[in-house]
Amino acid sequence: GLTLAEIKFKEKYDLQPITVIREHEGKSVFGQPRQMEKVLGLLSDNFILKAGDKLLFFGSTRAIEKFIGVDEG
């Protein structure tokens, strides 16, 4: 994966990444394996994104709509 700095996330999308929610293998209260989600804390420019990451970011409505591909017309 690439870091946020390497992909120039802030400059390219005009959005501030805050944190990532990442799935990992965990165990239920009964000890059974299951997929769980973990919030990884505040992100730095050196944070490496992985496929499947859920990114939480801050920005203007316009920048968010552009990022997710909403057509303003």
Side-chain angles (χ1 to χ4, degrees):
L2 298 172
T3 67
L4 292 168
E6 289 171 330
I7 61 175
K8 300 183 187 317
F9 189 90
K10 288 186 248 183
E11 296 84 357
K12 186 174 182 179
Y13 300 109
D14 197 26
L15 297 168
Q16 175 65 50
I18 298 171
T19 193
V20 161
I21 300 169
R22 186 174 284 166
E23 287 192 5
H24 67 96
E25 187 73 27
K27 292 190 177 185
S28 71
V29 293
F30 303 108
Q32 299 296 317
R34 69 177 208 143
Q35 284 297 108
M36 302 177 79
E37 292 183 330
K38 182 176 182 179
V39 178
L40 300 182
L42 293 176
L43 303 181
S44 72
D45 286 339
N46 296 325
F47 183 82
I48 299 172
L49 291 172
K50 294 185 179 181
D53 281 349
K54 297 175 184 173
L55 184 61
L56 177 68
F57 48 79
F58 177 82
S60 69
T61 301
R62 179 179 219 161
I64 293 169
E65 288 175 343
K66 183 177 177 184
F67 180 75
I68 63 175
V70 173
D71 185 22
E72 295 179 15

